Amino acid sequence: IDVKNNYEPTFELMDDKHGQLKGILDAASQVDDILIASDADREGEAIGWHIAKALEKTKKPIKRVWLKELTKKEIEKSIKNLMDLDENLVEAQKARRALDRLVGYTISPYVIRNFGKNLSAGRCQSVVVKMIVDREREIENFKPEEYWNIQAYLLKSLPKNESGKFYAKYVEKITDKTKALKVKDDLDKSVFTIFDVEEKTKEKKPLPPFITTSLQIAASTKLKFATTKTMNLAQSLFDSSLITYHRVDSTR
């Protein structure tokens, strides 16, 4: 990866892949048109792009076909809607692989040396590690500051079968007990008056369905379950057809 030239990558064919590429080239020499049908995602697009680059020497038309499922209906539909390779997806995958090497290949050896084997910190984990470190430094640098809250609960006599309770909060910042007691004494001698009443309707929408992370967080905070226990229980529920698939990052 040429970091001085806009992080331009240089690709080389792995030694054990020459046979596969030769097979593709031989097959391509026997047809009139070439369709790239790799997976319909960022990585699949990049794989298709690499194959297309290798097949340019054949001088044959190359088109991209997106297959969402391997059925006759889907294949026939996709072949009628051929397209070019999506350069944006290809570039996204290039960036992902570059980050893996520039970040992951640099940080992982350090993590292994200092924290143990079978650990890694690539483009995803390294960001989380930084967030944890930043938060830990905030905690270490925290300066505790005393403060007091003063609240008044006020009851008022109302007609029979009606009840009323009012709540007031002292909003000025109080930083020590002496001031807090003085404010309390002043309020004990005060008369409280309601000067405004506002009525409004509040809507509360249901929470979205669980995804893996929110399931684990809820089980941990409400039931004190370890992640392993949560996932084992979820697996048993899934095996019994009581829940949908539990390893997912989408509410769909």
Side-chain angles (χ1 to χ4, degrees):
I1 300 168
D2 188 351
V3 295
K4 295 182 179 179
N5 183 28
N6 201 28
Y7 297 91
E8 190 64 33
T10 299
F11 297 103
E12 294 181 4
L13 185 62
M14 296 170 66
D15 291 339
D16 60 345
K17 300 300 179 185
H18 287 275
Q20 285 93 324
L21 182 59
K22 183 178 184 303
I24 293 173
L25 288 169
D26 289 344
S29 67
Q30 301 173 38
V31 299
D32 298 323
D33 298 281
I34 298 169
L35 302 183
I36 301 292
S38 48
D39 286 349
D41 59 16
R42 177 176 57 189
E43 187 171 24
E45 202 74 4
I47 292 171
W49 180 83
H50 283 291
I51 294 173
K53 285 292 180 184
L55 293 175
E56 283 181 347
K57 63 182 72 173
T58 66
K59 305 294 184 182
K60 296 183 179 182
I62 300 175
K63 284 291 182 180
R64 174 68 156 118
V65 54
W66 276 55
L67 300 175
K68 296 182 177 65
E69 57 186 45
L70 292 179
T71 61
K72 180 180 178 182
K73 180 180 177 182
E74 176 66 20
I75 292 172
E76 289 177 343
K77 175 185 171 185
S78 300
I79 289 176
K80 291 178 182 177
N81 296 280
L82 298 178
M83 58 188 75
D84 294 322
L85 285 157
D86 189 331
E87 291 288 342
N88 288 329
L89 287 178
V90 174
E91 291 299 319
Q93 179 66 9
K94 284 183 185 178
R96 177 186 176 186
R97 297 194 71 188
L99 281 171
D100 273 337
R101 283 150 182 75
L102 295 173
V103 178
Y105 286 27
T106 306
I107 297 177
S108 291
Y110 176 85
V111 173
I112 292 168
R113 282 197 309 272
N114 290 276
F115 300 102
K117 296 179 180 179
N118 302 321
L119 294 173
S120 64
R123 66 182 189 281
C124 301
Q125 302 99 317
S126 57
V127 178
V128 178
V129 170
K130 184 181 187 304
M131 292 170 67
I132 293 171
V133 170
D134 289 345
R135 183 61 177 153
E136 186 64 26
R137 285 174 177 161
E138 282 184 33
I139 294 170
E140 290 175 352
N141 296 327
F142 176 73
K143 302 278 191 302
E145 183 180 273
E146 181 180 350
Y147 70 92
W148 290 69
N149 286 331
I150 297 180
Q151 300 168 347
Y153 295 92
L154 313 170
L155 293 174
K156 179 176 175 60
S157 296
L158 292 172
K160 193 176 180 181
N161 298 326
E162 290 187 33
S163 62
K165 184 181 286 186
F166 306 98
Y167 162 80
K169 183 176 180 180
Y170 192 79
V171 294
E172 183 182 329
K173 193 172 184 180
I174 304 170
T175 56
D176 59 71
K177 183 177 181 180
T178 302
K179 185 175 180 181
L181 291 174
K182 182 178 184 309
V183 171
K184 179 182 178 298
D185 290 340
D186 291 341
L187 293 176
D188 284 340
K189 303 168 189 172
S190 301
V191 175
F192 289 80
T193 304
I194 295 175
F195 62 88
D196 186 31
V197 176
E198 179 182 314
E199 292 186 13
K200 58 184 178 181
T201 302
K202 190 174 183 180
E203 290 186 1
K204 187 175 181 180
K205 296 182 179 179
L207 294 171
F210 278 134
I211 59 175
T212 305
T213 51
S214 59
L215 170 68
Q216 292 171 347
I217 291 168
S220 175
T221 55
K222 295 182 183 296
L223 304 173
K224 310 303 179 188
F225 285 177
T227 301
T228 302
K229 181 175 182 178
T230 301
M231 298 310 290
N232 286 340
L233 288 170
Q235 183 68 49
S236 66
L237 291 170
F238 176 72
D239 291 342
S240 303
S241 300
L242 295 173
I243 62 171
T244 52
Y245 194 51
H246 50 288
R247 291 189 179 89
V248 61
D249 59 5
S250 167
T251 54
R252 291 176 297 173

